[in-house]
Amino acid sequence: MPRDYPETPVVSVADFVRQVNDVLRSNVPGVWVEGELSSYKVWPSGHAYFTLKDRDAVLEAVMFAPGPRQLRFQPRAGLSVIVHGRPDIYPARGQFKLLADRILPQGEGILQLQFQQLVERLRKEGLFDDQWKRPIPPFPERIGVVTSVRGAAVRDFLRTLFHRWPGAAVVLADSPVQGADAPLRLVHALHDLATHGEVDVIALVRGGGSLEDLWAFNDENLARAIRSCPVPVVTGVGHETDTTIADFAADLRASTPTQAAMILSRSVADVSDGVRKRRQAIVRTMQVRLQDARLRAQAASTRIADPRHLFAGRRRQITDASGLLERLLRSRLSGWKSRTITALERVQAADPRKRLAAQHRRASDLRQILIRSAERLLAERRRRFGELPARLDAMSPLKVLSRGYSVLTTAAGQAVRSATEVRPGERLTARLHHGRLDVEVKTRYEESG
């Protein structure tokens, strides 16, 4: 072996890459990497390939399906993120990559970014379209409220509601309004109220707070539950400047829980004042209509004549009409009588019994003619048939044979009509009147015509 040949074992490229991967995985099982996305693309396979970079280095990374679909935000180039994964070398290319399993936006505005991206996606889907908004009942008999019964928002809501409308009926559904399990609990409370609460409208309320405090109301499942709720939903979350995804999905947004209570109630004083004003308007309308009816009645009374003159004129019209009707009826009856007599005479003239008798006589005459014609034809046929045996007998070849003639036939059964048709030595058959003879031609004589 050459002196410069290595003394240590030689390994293949694949073995070397596998050893390096084993070292990387054992020493760096998982790591969070901070950087900026310089590219990000999801392929039809569902895998996402992207590049992380900072001021001094670039790192290729991949997230396999279904990880990219489970992200709560939309990654894009230029976004600062932190990525969790493990190092790996792809053997086919010898390329170092980070196998990512989590990607999170970082820095100021992370929640705001997630909020904006979710709003945009749901808006494109049509979840916030005005065509799905339902009207809020003006006088709801039963109001459902989804909130935390220990918060200040529910006290403000109920105080305002009962002050304005003491007879209101309220059904409370307790749910946490902050924390990791708050979105799911809010969805369940909303569903229970709509299904079993027998309410006319539902108010989803919460007091003010930071974006993180209100984050439960930015949940996609809660927005879809509001949109699919069978009764209208009013939101009163946070302060006037706070806006959540639940507000976009609701049928009506109130700026605060107190305003939500004001929307769902009517002040007793306002209702009483409205009833009083409408009563006054109805009274004024009736007075105007009554005065107008009186004026029309006075104007009509001047045009009404003495009813006795009216009755006399009507009586003359009735008498004239009665005479005219009587003459018209007599004329019509006379015409009907004349037409009836004419029709009766036509019916008698067209009596089917007379026609049937004539047709019967004609059929009888035709029958006699047919019988006589058939008898004459039959007699003629019998006569002609009687002459046929004599004619057949006169033409029969047996009749000729009885006078001493015979018929010669060849072995093939053909009749011999000329001596030229046979040869000497040929055997023939002679048919006689009684019996047959086998003959042999000795000599053939040919006679010229």
Side-chain angles (χ1 to χ4, degrees):
M1 297 178 60
R3 294 181 180 180
D4 58 351
Y5 198 83
E7 298 179 358
T8 58
V10 178
V11 298
S12 65
V13 175
D15 289 339
F16 177 71
V17 172
R18 190 161 38 250
Q19 292 175 11
V20 173
N21 269 334
D22 292 341
V23 173
L24 288 174
R25 292 169 183 172
S26 60
N27 289 276
V28 190
V31 62
W32 284 98
V33 180
E34 176 184 356
E36 177 185 327
L37 290 174
S38 63
S39 65
Y40 183 88
K41 183 176 181 180
V42 180
W43 292 84
S45 61
H47 309 325
Y49 294 86
F50 55 97
T51 303
L52 286 173
K53 70 175 184 178
D54 58 15
R55 184 181 306 174
D56 301 317
V58 175
L59 175 63
E60 299 294 329
V62 59
M63 174 178 277
F64 295 118
R69 293 198 306 270
Q70 297 173 350
L71 297 178
R72 298 185 61 181
F73 74 106
Q74 180 61 48
R76 65 173 183 268
L79 185 67
S80 296
V81 295
I82 55 175
V83 181
H84 182 270
R86 58 183 176 83
D88 183 79
I89 297 178
Y90 182 45
R93 296 183 179 177
Q95 186 178 17
F96 179 77
K97 284 183 177 293
L98 179 67
L99 300 183
D101 51 47
R102 294 181 65 188
I103 304 176
L104 298 175
Q106 67 151 356
E108 185 178 356
I110 293 178
L111 294 180
Q112 187 64 32
L113 173 64
Q114 294 180 2
F115 172 81
Q116 292 173 354
Q117 291 183 348
L118 182 57
V119 167
E120 184 64 23
R121 178 162 60 85
L122 296 181
R123 178 175 285 112
K124 289 181 179 179
E125 185 180 325
L127 195 71
F128 305 149
D129 290 353
D130 291 339
Q131 61 177 331
W132 308 121
K133 306 293 184 181
R134 294 161 294 189
I136 307 302
F139 293 96
E141 296 182 5
R142 288 171 64 87
I143 301 172
V145 182
V146 177
T147 188
S148 172
V149 298
R150 291 171 294 278
V154 66
R155 292 192 294 271
D156 294 340
F157 179 89
L158 294 178
R159 184 186 306 111
T160 302
L161 182 70
F162 291 138
H163 175 73
R164 290 170 55 83
W165 195 252
V170 176
V171 182
L172 283 175
D174 185 25
S175 171
V177 293
Q178 184 174 339
D181 62 337
L184 182 61
R185 295 281 297 277
L186 287 170
V187 170
H188 288 168
L190 190 69
H191 178 267
D192 291 342
L193 266 184
T195 306
H196 308 293
E198 299 181 354
V199 295
D200 304 314
V201 66
I202 295 177
L204 186 63
V205 297
R206 188 208 188 282
S210 64
L211 180 60
E212 291 82 357
D213 296 337
L214 303 179
W215 193 249
F217 294 87
N218 291 322
D219 184 75
E220 179 178 352
N221 293 326
L222 178 59
R224 296 189 183 279
I226 293 173
R227 191 65 277 143
S228 62
C229 184
V231 297
V233 176
V234 176
T235 55
V237 179
H239 301 299
E240 186 171 356
T241 57
D242 297 324
T243 302
T244 66
I245 292 177
D247 295 326
F248 290 118
D251 297 286
L252 184 64
R253 173 189 177 265
S255 59
T256 63
T258 299
Q259 188 189 23
M262 296 180 65
I263 291 174
L264 296 176
S265 63
R266 296 293 182 271
S267 171
V268 175
D270 293 342
V271 173
S272 299
D273 184 61
V275 171
R276 179 181 58 81
K277 291 180 179 178
R278 290 182 178 174
R279 179 179 178 277
Q280 292 175 352
I282 292 173
V283 170
R284 288 195 297 270
T285 302
M286 295 303 297
Q287 289 175 345
V288 171
R289 291 185 177 181
L290 182 60
Q291 180 65 23
D292 184 63
R294 287 174 178 171
L295 294 176
R296 289 199 303 269
Q298 292 176 359
S301 63
T302 59
R303 297 193 298 268
I304 297 177
D306 189 345
R308 290 174 296 180
H309 298 297
L310 180 62
F311 290 153
R314 296 296 185 185
R315 187 178 295 110
R316 286 193 299 271
Q317 292 177 359
I318 292 172
T319 301
D320 295 341
S322 176
L324 178 61
L325 179 60
E326 183 178 358
R327 291 191 299 272
L328 181 60
L329 287 176
R330 287 179 179 177
S331 175
R332 293 286 179 89
L333 287 174
S334 177
W336 289 341
K337 181 178 180 181
S338 175
R339 286 195 294 272
T340 302
I341 293 174
T342 302
L344 183 59
E345 292 175 351
R346 291 180 179 176
V347 169
Q348 291 176 351
D351 190 348
R353 290 174 295 183
K354 295 180 180 180
R355 291 189 177 185
L356 287 175
Q359 294 293 337
H360 182 71
R361 289 193 300 271
R362 184 180 178 187
S364 179
D365 294 342
L366 292 175
R367 181 175 178 274
Q368 294 300 324
I369 293 172
L370 182 60
I371 291 174
R372 289 194 294 270
S373 298
E375 289 177 347
R376 286 195 300 270
L377 180 61
L378 184 59
E380 177 64 20
R381 293 296 174 88
R382 284 176 178 174
R383 183 188 64 78
R384 294 174 61 185
F385 184 75
E387 294 174 354
L388 288 177
R391 295 172 62 184
L392 289 174
D393 184 62
M395 298 177 64
S396 174
L398 298 177
K399 191 73 171 178
V400 177
L401 295 178
S402 66
R403 294 198 296 271
Y405 293 97
S406 64
V407 177
L408 294 176
T409 58
T410 65
Q414 296 179 349
V416 179
R417 292 181 294 275
S418 172
T420 60
E421 296 178 357
V422 298
R423 299 183 303 274
E426 184 177 355
R427 301 188 65 84
L428 303 174
T429 300
R431 173 75 181 272
L432 306 176
H433 181 62
H434 294 291
R436 298 178 181 176
L437 295 176
D438 290 332
V439 298
E440 181 180 350
V441 178
K442 297 294 187 179
T443 304
R444 182 177 67 183
Y445 299 95
E446 300 180 10
E447 296 180 359
S448 57

